[in-house]
Amino acid sequence: MEAGPWTNADSEEIWNGLLARATKENKLLLVDFTGSDWCGWCVKLKSEVFSTEAFLAGASKDFILVEVDFPKKTEIAAEIKAYRQSLAKQYSIAGYPTILLLDGNGKKVAKTGYQAGGPENYLTHLAKFKADHAAVLELRKKAEAGDKDAVAQCAKMDKADALKSLLGSVTKANADQVANDLFDKYLAGEVLEGPDANFPYLALLVKGAANRKNVEAFDKIRAQLEALTDPKSKAIVPQMKLDDMRKGFAGPAEGSAEPEEAPKP
């Protein structure tokens, strides 16, 4: 169903049509997972960016705009709600707003959310994702042509994508297993680097190191966690009680020895 420049992803037929259109027009889907009538940041993003003429004029050149809405005050048909929930599950949506860029195969190209600065800043933000995607496509063409450096880079990217997919699958019920799986891959040399080595990844990784009782890796990953500079991470890391976590499997950390036992009379 069309909602002005935005299309509501309300059925498999509509979704498949959007993917086919993305392939035909050589565009990416920009999918807004939103709670339009209760989520404050969703309302803010729509009013400041997604509903503005400047954004719609610029974005429509490169993206197909799709909305997957989960309202609380507006009744929607059960089958529509169920299909939207299936998309949220498929793409491991854990909060709102979540903005995904997808290619014509439905593969995730990028993930983002609210960005301050109005439509112009958001368009610039999206343009970087689009440019990065174009660079990846060019790299894959070189790999298919036999370029050894490109083949190696693509293999590294594919491993990183697999790690991100594993990270995105985490729930409260499977957190320990995902942490262990990520840590096993870490030991095998498969790691996320740069901006991808963020708090959610490192927090699970340190949990996996604790589960596996690997002191050396725990301390190394802990140092990465404590070196994060974004305000949210700096606020949460101290609440993780990493000292207690370490003592639980390895005794006191170096430099924090247990008090000596008082001599017996």
Side-chain angles (χ1 to χ4, degrees), residues 113-218:
Y114 175 82
Q115 295 284 322
E120 291 78 11
N121 183 67
Y122 212 94
L123 288 169
T124 300
H125 178 62
L126 294 176
K128 183 181 183 305
F129 290 134
K130 183 174 181 293
D132 289 346
H133 178 58
V136 169
L137 293 179
E138 184 61 30
L139 186 66
R140 293 201 180 277
K141 285 183 181 179
K142 291 181 179 180
E144 290 172 2
D147 185 301
K148 291 184 179 180
D149 288 340
V151 169
Q153 289 182 61
C154 286
K156 186 176 181 180
M157 285 192 304
D158 289 340
K159 288 181 179 179
D161 286 344
L163 288 173
K164 292 176 189 176
S165 179
L166 179 58
L167 181 62
S169 71
V170 69
T171 64
K172 288 183 179 179
N174 71 4
D176 272 320
Q177 185 59 56
V178 171
N180 292 343
D181 290 345
L182 285 172
F183 184 68
D184 289 344
K185 291 181 179 298
Y186 171 89
L187 291 179
E190 297 179 28
V191 298
L192 293 178
E193 300 173 333
D196 291 326
N198 54 22
F199 175 81
Y201 172 64
L202 293 174
L204 281 170
L205 210 53
V206 83
K207 183 179 181 65
N211 290 344
R212 298 291 196 221
K213 304 186 186 307
N214 189 315
V215 179
E216 182 179 355
F218 181 93

Side-chain angles (χ1 to χ4, degrees), residues 1 3 6-10 31-39 42-43 46 66-77 80-88 93 96-98:
M1 182 172 64
W6 294 82
T7 300
N8 293 316
D10 288 347
V31 187
D32 176 20
F33 288 85
T34 182
S36 63
D37 62 5
W38 60 270
C39 166
C42 301
V43 173
K46 185 171 184 178
V66 184
E67 184 176 87
V68 184
D69 190 16
F70 297 89
K72 291 184 177 180
K73 301 174 184 176
T74 303
E75 289 291 330
I76 57 175
I80 291 176
K81 184 176 182 179
Y83 188 73
R84 293 178 185 179
Q85 288 173 334
S86 74
L87 288 176
I93 304 302
Y96 304 96
T98 295

